[in-house]
Amino acid sequence: MSRAETVSAAARPRPLWTLGLFRDELRTTFRRWRTLALLGVLAAVPVLVGIAVRIETGDGSSGGGGGGPAFVSQITNNGLFLVFTALAATLPFFLPMAVGVIAGDAVAGEAGAGTLRYLLVAPSGRTRLLLTKYATVMVFCLAATLTVAVAALAVGALLFPLGDLTTISGTRITFGEGLVRALLIALVVAASLLGVAALGLFVSTLTNSGIAAMATTVGLLITVQILDQIPQLHALHPYLFSHYWLSFADLMREPVHWEDLTRNLGLQALYATVFGSAAWARFTTKDVTA
């Protein structure tokens, strides 16, 4: 092999090195105290909800009240419903906020710390580095959702009975089938956060300040949530990434209603494509001096 071929082979990105970068990125992200604190807060939500329902129904009342998701009143009958309730309680704000913090800091945090230019020296290329960052945020989406679901299942099993459950449609399914649906719901909720992840990653490429990127992402999240609650903007609602988030409840119907579920997943794919492409266009042309 000639010297030129040797240099060319050395400069060519290696797939195994990319896997190593992904592994290192995961290790770095999940070892940060901020990440652990976010997961801790998410795990605390179902604990608080479960205890509150237990206290409220301690006198033998059915509880549940008239508000909240359609399955909130079912918690006392079956602890598995705490999983669905906890996901419904965290999805509008806590879960996307946590994802926004991680995504917003993905690139801007490295730039602010002065480590981004050293990552770019390695033969991974900017595209592979950005894909690794996004893949890491996607893993966090799944980890955050499963944290809520597992904590809710544990608390539900401790405080309430488990067994066959009644769907929103009134039909009975076995506990095993209920667990399968709970897993499917957790996966749908995690997929519902991909749009926020792509938006946060794009914002992260626009600044060298991790705090500014995180604050901007969370601010945009709050703004979209407010817009989704204004009746006069009903024509805009179907295009907001948060509009179909709670459609996961349709997985607890018999038969399952797929219309809003597919709309939600399609909308998340659209946001991921648009803002992922914008992040790539910005990052691959960005002058990294930090």
Side-chain angles (χ1 to χ4, degrees):
M1 181 181 291
S2 66
R3 180 180 178 82
E5 291 174 335
T6 303
V7 173
S8 177
R12 190 179 303 119
R14 299 177 180 178
L16 290 180
W17 191 93
T18 302
L19 292 176
L21 175 64
F22 180 52
R23 183 185 62 250
D24 292 340
E25 189 69 27
L26 285 176
R27 184 185 300 115
T28 300
T29 299
F30 283 93
R31 281 183 175 178
R32 288 173 178 160
W33 284 108
R34 177 177 61 237
T35 304
L36 298 177
L38 289 172
L39 293 177
V41 170
L42 291 173
V45 173
V47 175
L48 295 176
V49 172
I51 293 176
V53 173
R54 182 65 178 177
I55 293 175
E56 182 183 355
T57 59
D59 58 356
S61 61
S62 60
F71 34 73
V72 138
S73 60
Q74 299 269 16
I75 295 178
T76 54
N77 299 324
N78 196 313
L80 187 57
F81 277 98
L82 184 58
V83 176
F84 314 135
T85 303
L87 289 174
T90 55
L91 183 54
F93 183 71
F94 290 104
L95 276 171
M97 181 198 68
V99 172
V101 168
I102 299 300
D105 189 57
V107 176
E110 298 276 11
T115 56
L116 183 59
R117 61 178 177 179
Y118 296 108
L119 286 175
L120 296 178
V121 170
S124 64
R126 296 195 178 199
T127 299
R128 293 190 180 214
L129 179 59
L130 189 67
L131 286 174
T132 300
K133 294 284 187 183
Y134 187 57
T136 302
V137 179
M138 290 172 64
V139 172
F140 178 80
C141 291
L142 182 60
T145 304
L146 291 179
T147 296
V148 175
V150 171
L153 181 59
V155 174
L158 287 174
L159 300 181
F160 308 102
L162 297 177
D164 294 350
L165 58 157
T166 304
T167 66
I168 297 176
S169 303
T171 58
R172 298 283 292 180
I173 60 176
T174 65
F175 179 71
E177 186 177 351
L179 282 177
V180 172
R181 295 204 186 195
L183 177 59
L184 289 176
I185 285 175
L187 294 177
V188 168
V189 170
S192 299
L193 300 171
L194 297 184
V196 175
L199 174 62
L201 192 64
F202 169 62
V203 173
S204 188
T205 63
L206 300 178
T207 177
N208 291 337
S209 171
I211 295 178
M214 290 185 285
T216 301
T217 303
V218 174
L220 289 173
L221 168 66
I222 296 174
T223 301
V224 169
Q225 295 277 42
I226 293 175
L227 293 177
D228 200 23
Q229 300 302 317
I230 301 177
Q232 291 79 4
L233 299 178
H234 63 89
L236 181 64
H237 292 169
Y239 303 100
L240 301 177
F241 57 75
S242 63
H243 185 65
Y244 296 107
W245 272 352
L246 296 182
S247 63
F248 72 81
D250 288 339
L251 283 170
M252 283 304 297
R253 300 185 187 276
E254 191 67 39
V256 175
H257 294 181
W258 294 103
E259 184 176 0
D260 285 349
L261 284 167
T262 54
R263 286 178 179 176
N264 176 44
L265 296 178
L267 193 61
Q268 301 310 318
L270 177 62
Y271 270 86
T273 300
V274 171
F275 285 102
S277 299
W280 174 82
R282 168 62 179 169
F283 188 61
T284 53
T285 58
K286 184 177 182 178
D287 182 17
V288 178
T289 58

